[in-house]
Amino acid sequence: MTTAMSAAAPTLDAQRARSARTAVFVVFALAGLVFASWAARIADTKVALGLSAGELGATLLAASVGSVTGLPLAGRVCGHFGAARTVAAGAVLSLAGLLATGAVVDAHGSRFLVMVGLFLVGLGVGFWDVSMNLEGAAVERELGSSVMPHFHAAFSGGTVLSALVGAGMSAAHVPLLLHFGGAALISVAGAAWALPRFLPRGVEDTEEEAPEARERQRSAWLEPRTLLIGVVVLAAAFTEGTANDWLSVAFSEGHDLPTWAGVLGFATFLSFMTVGRLLGTRLLDEHGRVPVLRVSFGLAVLGSLLVVFGTDWLAFAGAAVWGVGAALGFPVGMSASADDPQRAAARMSVVATIGYVAFIGGPPLLGFLGDHTGVLHALLVVGALAILALSAVPAVREPAGRPAGAPRPTDPAAGSPLG
C-alpha cells in the first residue's frame, strides 16, 4: 500500500475495532466447525467405503491439493475484493464440497467422487484461511495486542464443539449428509452476521497496491525470513494436521477402542489446543515468540510419544499434551508473516502455502507408513518434524524495537485501551 493510501486509511474508534474483533472470532469458529464436521466422520468414511490406511491417505490428499491450489491466489484475491468477500467465497466452496462429500459417502459411492468433494472443501478452505488470518492480523494491529492466538482458539473451540457433536452423530449412526447440512446452516447464518462487521477496506491494508508494490510482492518467495517462518508453520501444520486427520483412527485401531472413543481422543486434543491458545497470548506478550514456541514444539513431541507408547489412559493424556504443544505454532507464524502490514498479503500467502505442504504430504505419508507399521506408530513422524522445526523458530522473533503485540507508532489507535 502506498504512503498516500495509508494516510487516507480511516481511523477506527474503540467500539468499531472491538466489533471487528468479535466478527473475526465468529468466522474463525465457523471455520473450525466446518473442518471438524468432516474430521469427526473420517473414521466412519473409512469404514463405509472399505478403505485401507493407504487409500484413506490418498483420499484425504484431495483436500490438501485443493487448499494449496487456492492459497497462492488468496492474498491477491483478498487484495482485489477484500477479506469479507474472500471469506464468503471460500465458505461457499467449502460447504458445497462438504455436502457433496456427505452425499457420496452415504450412498457408498465412488472414492473418486469423494475426492472431488474434498478438493472443493480444500479449495474453499485455502481462500477462507488466508483471508480470515489477514483480517485477524489487521485487527491485531489496530488493537495493539497479541490476539491472533485467541482467534485461533476460536477456531479450536469450534472444532471442539463440532467434534463432540460428531462423536454423538457417529455413535447414533446419523447420515453424513444430515450432519453436514446442519453445519452448513449454522455457518451460513454466522457468516451473514459476521462479515459485514469486518474492518473497512482501507484499514485492512489489503487494497490493491501500486505497480511498484506489486513488483515487490512477487519477491516474497525469495525472502529468507519468510521462508523460515514457512518452515515453522509447516511443522506446526503437520503437528496439528496429523492429529486432525489420524488421531481418531489411531485411537480406534491402535488402541482397539470404538470409533466414538477415537473421536473423543480427537476432541481431547482439540480441547487442550484451545486452552493452549487462550493462555498462550499472555505468555507470548511476557516472554516473546521464540522461547514460547520452543517449549510448545517440545510438548508436541512428548504428547505424540505418550499417544504411541502409552496405555489407553496415557494416550488420552498424551492427546492433551500434544494439543497444548500444537496450539501456538500456526497463529504465531501467521502473525510473524504480517509484521509489516504493507507486505502482509504477499508474505502470508507464501507462508500459508508452505505450511499447507504438510497437508499435501501428511495424509499419503501417514497412510503409507500406516500400511507398513500401523497408524499408531506412524505418528512418530510428528516428533521428528517438530524437532527439526526448532532450528527455524528464531525466524519468528518480533521486529527489533517492537515486542509482540505492541501497537504501531503511526497507528491512530496506539495507546488507546481497545482491548
Side-chain angles (χ1 to χ4, degrees):
M1 182 178 295
T2 63
T3 303
M5 292 174 68
S6 297
T11 299
L12 296 185
D13 57 27
Q15 182 60 39
R16 182 68 179 85
R18 284 195 291 265
S19 178
R21 178 179 61 184
T22 303
V24 175
F25 279 140
V26 170
V27 169
F28 268 81
L30 293 176
L33 180 150
V34 170
F35 168 76
S37 294
W38 158 245
R41 305 305 295 268
I42 288 175
D44 289 332
T45 298
K46 183 177 185 294
V47 173
L49 300 183
L51 303 178
S52 68
E55 289 172 335
L56 178 61
T59 302
L60 296 174
L61 177 63
S64 304
V65 172
S67 293
V68 177
T69 300
L71 284 168
L73 303 174
R76 194 172 295 276
V77 171
C78 201
H80 280 289
F81 299 106
R85 291 181 179 179
T86 309
V87 168
V92 168
L93 288 169
S94 297
L95 295 175
L98 188 67
L99 293 173
T101 299
V104 174
V105 174
D106 286 343
H108 300 280
S110 165
R111 183 162 67 95
F112 172 76
L113 293 178
V114 171
M115 294 175 71
V116 172
L118 291 179
F119 177 85
L120 290 177
V121 172
L123 183 64
V125 164
F127 283 98
W128 192 339
D129 189 282
V130 170
S131 52
M132 74 180 181
N133 274 285
L134 281 170
E135 182 72 12
V139 170
E140 185 176 58
R141 289 192 299 269
E142 290 301 318
L143 295 175
S145 60
S146 296
V147 295
M148 186 69 87
H150 282 179
F151 294 145
H152 285 261
F155 176 89
S156 299
T159 61
V160 170
L161 292 176
S162 186
L164 291 175
V165 170
M169 296 285 185
S170 177
H173 304 289
V174 173
L176 271 66
L177 183 58
L178 182 60
H179 176 189
F180 295 164
L185 289 175
I186 294 171
S187 299
V188 169
W193 178 88
L195 294 181
R197 291 169 172 78
F198 272 26
L199 294 174
R201 287 287 307 280
V203 178
E204 286 176 353
D205 287 315
T206 57
E207 294 275 7
E208 186 174 4
E209 301 182 18
E212 63 273 15
R214 290 197 299 269
E215 184 65 29
R216 290 198 310 272
Q217 187 180 45
R218 285 194 289 269
S219 68
W221 281 98
L222 303 178
E223 297 174 351
R225 178 177 183 260
T226 299
L227 297 177
L228 286 173
I229 293 172
V231 171
V232 173
V233 171
L234 184 149
F238 190 86
T239 301
E240 178 180 346
T242 297
N244 291 336
D245 285 344
W246 292 100
L247 199 56
S248 63
V249 177
F251 267 78
S252 61
E253 294 186 359
H255 289 279
D256 295 320
L257 297 173
T259 56
W260 63 264
V263 177
L264 287 181
F266 172 52
T268 299
F269 166 83
L270 294 175
S271 298
F272 279 85
M273 186 167 64
T274 303
V275 171
R277 285 172 171 170
L278 290 173
L279 299 180
T281 296
R282 174 167 294 185
L283 294 174
L284 288 167
D285 284 337
E286 290 180 354
H287 302 289
R289 296 169 179 168
V290 174
V292 171
L293 281 198
R294 283 174 173 159
V295 173
S296 294
F297 279 117
L299 289 174
V301 173
L302 175 62
S304 63
L305 290 176
L306 287 174
V307 169
V308 174
F309 295 112
T311 63
D312 292 351
W313 288 110
L314 277 179
F316 276 95
V321 174
W322 186 347
V324 173
L328 297 176
F330 201 95
V332 168
M334 292 294 102
S335 288
S337 69
D339 280 336
D340 177 3
Q342 295 184 18
R343 303 299 313 281
R347 288 172 176 158
M348 191 174 287
S349 288
V350 170
V351 168
T353 301
I354 295 172
Y356 269 73
V357 169
F359 296 122
I360 284 185
L365 174 62
L366 268 294
F368 173 79
L369 292 176
D371 281 341
H372 291 80
T373 66
V375 171
L376 188 63
H377 286 88
L379 299 181
L380 291 173
V381 178
V382 171
L385 190 58
I387 292 172
L388 177 64
L390 290 172
S391 63
V393 163
V396 305
R397 194 183 309 277
E398 296 82 6
R402 180 167 68 83
R408 292 173 292 175
T410 58
D411 191 340
S416 300
L418 298 181

